C-alpha cells in the first residue's frame, strides 16, 4: 500500500466499542476526491469522525502518509487534516474573519496571536471561496451557504494535505452547491489536496468524484470509480429503491412510470422525446415510445418511463416486423405525438407511420 497516501486498512468503526461497520478497506492517493454515499443512518458520518479521531477506532488501522493516524499528536494532525462536519457552530461574538483565522491556530504559539503572514493566509483563504465581503460580519448572522464557504475557508487556512467534509452541500441552493464543489475540485487537482466527503446528492457525487465508497449494512457495499458504481441496479439496491429509477446516463432519479393502458404514442429521435416523456409522466399518462434505436438518447430514458418501447437495433433499417408493431400502436392509440423525428434512409419507415397517424386524425406535432 506504499502508493497510497491515505489507507483505511480493515477499519472497524462504531460507538462505545460496538461495531457499526467492519472491514473498511480503501487506499486513496494524493489529490483524489473520494465520496461516501448511502442511505441515512448508514454510517457515513461515523467513518469520517473515526478517521479524524473524533471517535475511537474499534479495529484496524488508518495510515496517513505512511504513519498510523493515532501516532500523530492532535496538533500535528491538525496541520495535516482539516475537518468540516455538519454540526452547526455557534461561536459567540465572532466575525467570519475570526472563524477563518482559527484555522491558523495550529501554527501559532500558545497565545494564538496571528502573524502578518497568517493574516495574509486568512485573506487568501476567504478570497479562494469568494467570501472576502463577509470578513467583518457576525458568523451567526449569515446564510447557510455563506457559512459553508466560511468554514471551507477555515479548512483551507489550515493548509491541510487532506480535507474531510460531512455533507458540505446540505442547506445550499444549487448555485452554491456547484460553487462549493468547484472549489473542492480545484483544490484537489491544482493543489493536490485529498478530499474525502459524504454527499446525499448522488448526481453531484457522480460528476465530481474519482472514487466512490457505498455504505450500507455492516460492511462496505461497493467501492470503485463512478463508472463502476453508478449502475441502475446497484443504486437501486444500495438505497432500496422500489418507487422509481436511477438513470446512470442522465445521473438523475426518475419517478415510477405511469400505470395503466397506454393510449398515447410518442414518436421521436435524437433527444426530442425527453421533454415529452417527462411531461406525460407528470400528468400520469402512460405512453408508448418508438420507433427508437437502442443507441438513441431517447431510448435510454424511454426504457424507464414508457409503458412500452418499440425498438430497433442500432444502424439497421426499420424492419417490417418493427414497422408493423408501430403501425398497430398508431391504430390502438387515441393520440400520436410527433416530438420531432429526423428521417433518413435507415428509418424511412417513419414516414409511413406518421402518415397513418395523420390519416386517422391522431397526429399532434410539437411546435406546429
Amino acid at each position: 500500500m506504499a502508493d497510497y497516501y491515505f489507507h483505511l486498512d480493515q477499519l472497524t468503526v462504531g460507538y462505545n466499542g460496538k461495531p457499526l461497520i467492519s472491514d473498511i478497506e480503501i487506499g486513496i492517493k494524493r489529490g483524489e476526491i473520494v465520496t461516501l454515499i448511502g442511505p441515512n443512518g448508514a454510517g457515513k458520518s461515523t467513518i469520517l469522525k473515526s478517521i479524524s479521531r473524533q471517535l475511537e477506532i474499534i479495529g484496524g488501522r488508518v495510515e496517513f502518509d505512511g504513519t498510523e493516524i493515532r501516532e500523530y499528536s492532535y496538533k500535528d494532525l491538525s496541520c495535516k487534516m482539516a475537518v468540516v462536519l455538519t454540526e452547526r457552530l455557534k461561536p459567540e461574538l465572532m466575525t467570519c474573519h475570526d472563524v477563518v483565522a482559527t484555522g491558523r491556530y495550529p501554527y501559532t504559539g500558545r497565545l494564538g496571536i496571528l502573524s502578518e503572514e497568517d493574516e495574509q493566509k486568512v485573506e487568501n483563504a476567504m478570497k479562494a471561496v469568494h467570501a472576502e465581503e463577509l470578513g467583518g460580519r457576525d458568523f451567526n448572522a449569515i446564510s447557510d451557504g455563506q457559512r459553508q464557504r466560511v468554514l471551507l475557508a477555515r479548512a483551507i487556512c489550515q493548509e491541510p494535505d487532506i480535507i474531510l467534509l460531512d455533507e458540505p452541500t446540505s442547506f445550499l441552493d444549487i448555485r452554491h452547491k456547484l460553487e462549493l464543489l468547484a472549489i473542492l475540485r480545484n483544490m484537489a487537482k491544482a493543489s493536490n489536496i485529498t478530499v474525502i466527503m459524504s454527499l446525499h446528492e448522488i448526481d453531484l457525487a457522480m460528476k465530481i468524484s474519482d472514487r466512490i465508497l457505498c455504505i450500507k449494512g455492516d460492511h462496505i457495499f461497493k467501492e470503485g470509480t463512478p463508472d463502476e458504481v453508478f449502475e441502475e441496479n446497484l443504486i437501486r439496491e444500495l438505497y432500496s429503491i422500489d418507487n422509481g429509477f436511477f438513470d446512470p446516463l442522465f445521473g438523475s432519479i426518475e419517478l415510477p412510470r405511469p400505470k395503466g393502458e397506454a393510449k398515447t404514442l410518442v414518436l421521436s429521435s435524437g433527444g426530442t422525446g425527453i421533454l415529452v416523456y417527462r411531461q406525460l409522466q407528470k400528468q400520469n399518462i402512460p405512453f408508448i415510445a418508438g420507433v427508437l434505436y437502442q443507441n438513441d438518447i431517447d431510448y435510454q430514458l424511454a426504457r424507464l418511463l414508457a409503458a412500452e418501447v418499440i425498438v430497433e437495433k442500432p444502424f439497421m433499417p426499420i424492419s417490417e416486423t418493427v414497422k408493423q408493431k408501430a403501425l398497430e400502436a398508431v391504430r390502438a392509440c387515441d393520440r400520436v405525438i410527433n416530438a420531432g423525428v429526423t428521417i433518413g434512409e435507415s428509418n424511412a419507415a417513419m414516414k409511413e407511420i406518421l402518415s397513418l397517424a395523420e390519416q386517422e386524425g391522431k397526429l399532434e406535432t410539437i411546435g406546429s
Side-chain angles (χ1 to χ4, degrees), residues 201-325:
E201 302 92 336
I202 61 175
D203 56 331
L204 297 178
M206 184 178 181
K207 294 173 176 65
I208 193 174
S209 309
D210 297 304
R211 309 270 293 287
I212 300 288
L213 201 60
C214 301
I215 317 298
K216 183 180 182 181
D218 58 2
H219 289 76
I220 296 302
F221 182 77
K222 174 74 175 179
E223 183 271 321
T225 64
D227 287 345
E228 293 168 333
V229 167
F230 288 101
E231 187 271 326
E232 183 182 336
N233 290 328
L234 191 149
I235 295 298
R236 181 196 301 275
E237 188 176 350
L238 175 63
Y239 288 96
S240 301
I241 298 172
D242 58 7
N243 57 348
F245 308 91
F246 171 75
D247 183 350
L249 179 65
F250 294 96
S252 60
I253 297 295
E254 303 292 345
L255 294 171
R257 59 173 60 90
K259 294 181 180 180
E261 184 181 2
K263 288 294 186 179
T264 298
L265 171 63
V266 181
L267 305 175
S268 67
S269 63
T272 61
I274 291 173
L275 292 178
V276 178
Y277 301 161
R278 290 215 164 100
Q279 188 62 37
L280 292 170
Q281 186 195 46
K282 288 177 188 176
Q283 296 170 358
N284 202 33
I285 298 173
F287 64 92
I288 301 170
V291 172
L292 295 175
Y293 288 97
Q294 291 172 331
N295 61 344
D296 192 316
I297 194 170
D298 280 345
Y299 171 76
Q300 302 303 320
L301 186 59
R303 67 188 178 84
L304 299 177
L305 302 186
E308 179 186 353
V309 183
I310 303 171
V311 65
E312 183 56 270
K313 294 177 182 177
F315 311 113
M316 299 293 290
I318 294 175
S319 68
E320 185 64 25
T321 300
V322 171
K323 182 183 77 170
Q324 289 301 324
K325 192 173 183 179

Side-chain angles (χ1 to χ4, degrees), residues 61-124:
R61 292 167 57 85
V62 177
E63 292 186 358
F64 189 0
D65 200 14
T67 302
E68 215 286 329
I69 201 165
R70 285 170 287 196
E71 295 179 19
Y72 285 99
S73 69
Y74 281 104
K75 180 176 180 180
D76 288 343
L77 187 61
S78 64
C79 292
K80 286 180 166 288
M81 177 186 289
V83 183
V84 181
L85 298 180
T86 50
E87 286 86 352
R88 296 195 181 189
L89 294 178
K90 288 289 184 181
E92 296 296 328
L93 303 176
M94 289 184 72
T95 66
C96 294
H97 178 278
D98 296 334
V99 171
V100 176
T102 62
R104 296 305 303 163
Y105 286 178
Y107 302 94
T108 64
R110 291 184 177 181
L111 298 178
I113 298 174
L114 272 62
S115 67
E116 201 170 305
E117 182 182 356
D118 290 323
E119 288 287 358
Q120 186 60 54
K121 288 179 178 179
V122 172
E123 295 301 321
N124 291 343

